[in-house]
Amino acid sequence: MKRLMILYVLTVLLSIPLSATAEITQNSRLLQRPEWDGAVMQKNWIEGALRFQEWDTDFGDVSVWSLGPTFITSLPGNPRIELGGRFDIMNFDPDNSDSETGLSDIDLWGKYQFYQDARFMLSAGLLVTLPTGSEEVIHPRASGEFNAEMFVAGRYQASQQLAMIGHLALRKNSDMDIEFNGFEGEVDGETQLAVGGGIIYAVTPQLDLQGEFNIATEAYEIFDNDIQLRGGAEYRVANDFSLRGGIGIGLDGAPDWDLILGCAYLF
């Protein structure tokens, strides 16, 4: 079923003609991790996103809801430097235990675009997570511990309407304490390698379509490798306001389904 859906989405994307007036800018970002991009945001960018995930784990089925903002800006004195941050309110609802609601870890990052020409951009950055996550919300984004990640990301502007984006990241996940279904204990964190990329495809001046494929090794000893395919779209209601959304399909270790709905504002 998953393979048929992937084939259908790819067929639809490739059959849509490009518009000669459509254009991809540095302010257009993939849904999953907007910091994993060689481009640097040219304005202040804030996104509010609602996310729903369905997990099939060794402990049973788990549903996770999250809602929160992401903010990105570049320094006025140096437009090659990008700063960003995000957090979420999360609801963790396993089938065989009580539902829990809590705060995620807070992600903060900075990156520097050290190379740019007419088509290619290359950036490197550092991301840290602040230990604000709830111990009762068992999820990689709510560890309640300090974690750090280094990443390199690139963007190739294949044409005015097509951008190709890729990243390589190395993350150190600290051991985390958890409270779940009467169990209290510590889970060993792992050094995690992540690699992936995607495309942003401008169909019209208002509509961008995108797809991405990401692979990451296990974050904690209780998790598997994370492999995910995602498709999405961004529709500009106005010059500085857009609606964004997409669906992710977990191929191994990732959520079986991952739905994101949000809106972004540039100012």
Side-chain angles (χ1 to χ4, degrees):
M1 183 64 181
K2 289 183 180 180
R3 291 181 179 178
L4 289 175
M5 182 172 290
I6 293 169
L7 181 60
Y8 174 76
V9 171
L10 291 175
T11 302
V12 170
L13 291 177
L14 294 175
S15 65
I16 298 176
L18 289 172
S19 167
T21 59
E23 182 181 5
I24 297 295
T25 72
Q26 292 197 61
N27 299 325
S28 300
R29 297 297 173 91
L30 294 170
L31 283 166
Q32 180 72 357
R33 294 279 299 272
E35 68 272 22
W36 283 345
D37 196 315
V40 169
M41 198 67 67
Q42 300 302 295
K43 292 185 176 183
N44 298 317
W45 186 88
I46 187 166
E47 178 189 40
L50 173 68
R51 188 167 188 160
F52 174 71
Q53 298 177 330
E54 281 281 358
W55 297 73
D56 180 11
T57 74
D58 295 338
F59 309 103
D61 293 339
V62 177
S63 299
V64 178
W65 289 90
S66 62
L67 176 66
T70 298
F71 178 74
I72 307 175
T73 188
S74 58
L75 291 184
N78 191 338
R80 287 181 175 266
I81 296 178
E82 178 181 287
L83 303 175
R86 65 173 157 259
F87 71 92
D88 287 298
I89 301 297
M90 304 182 66
N91 176 263
F92 179 81
D93 187 12
D95 281 350
N96 56 356
S97 186
D98 295 334
S99 173
E100 300 287 351
T101 300
L103 185 66
S104 73
D105 296 325
I106 296 176
D107 290 339
L108 298 174
W109 72 85
K111 73 180 185 186
Y112 179 72
Q113 187 183 75
F114 58 87
Y115 181 82
Q116 179 185 20
D117 62 23
R119 288 185 175 271
F120 189 64
M121 307 170 197
L122 197 60
S123 299
L126 174 67
L127 178 146
V128 296
T129 67
L130 304 184
T132 54
S134 171
E135 294 179 2
E136 297 176 347
V137 180
I138 303 175
H139 187 275
R141 292 200 54 237
S143 68
E145 304 294 339
F146 181 87
N147 304 311
E149 173 186 302
M150 297 181 295
F151 63 90
V152 177
R155 175 185 286 218
Y156 178 69
Q157 201 73 32
S159 70
Q160 179 175 288
Q161 298 114 324
L162 179 63
M164 305 171 67
I165 298 160
H167 72 271
L168 177 66
L170 185 67
R171 179 183 179 92
K172 180 64 177 73
N173 295 291
S174 301
D175 298 344
M176 68 173 175
D177 296 322
I178 63 172
E179 298 177 13
F180 177 69
N181 201 21
F183 171 80
E184 294 186 26
E186 185 178 77
V187 176
D188 292 338
E190 305 288 349
T191 299
Q192 188 178 30
L193 178 66
V195 62
I199 62 170
I200 303 177
Y201 181 98
V203 180
T204 72
Q206 290 77 37
L207 179 63
D208 296 344
L209 298 179
Q210 57 177 261
E212 55 185 309
F213 180 69
N214 296 313
I215 302 174
T217 59
E218 61 185 26
Y220 299 93
E221 64 175 0
I222 63 173
F223 291 97
D224 296 324
N225 296 338
D226 187 320
I227 304 176
Q228 190 172 113
L229 178 69
R230 181 183 304 281
E234 179 170 2
Y235 182 78
R236 277 173 285 280
V237 180
N239 287 339
D240 293 327
F241 180 75
S242 62
L243 302 176
R244 290 160 50 85
I247 297 177
I249 301 172
L251 304 181
D252 181 24
D256 288 347
W257 297 99
D258 185 357
L259 173 67
I260 299 178
L261 298 173
C263 58
Y265 178 64
L266 289 161
F267 60 100

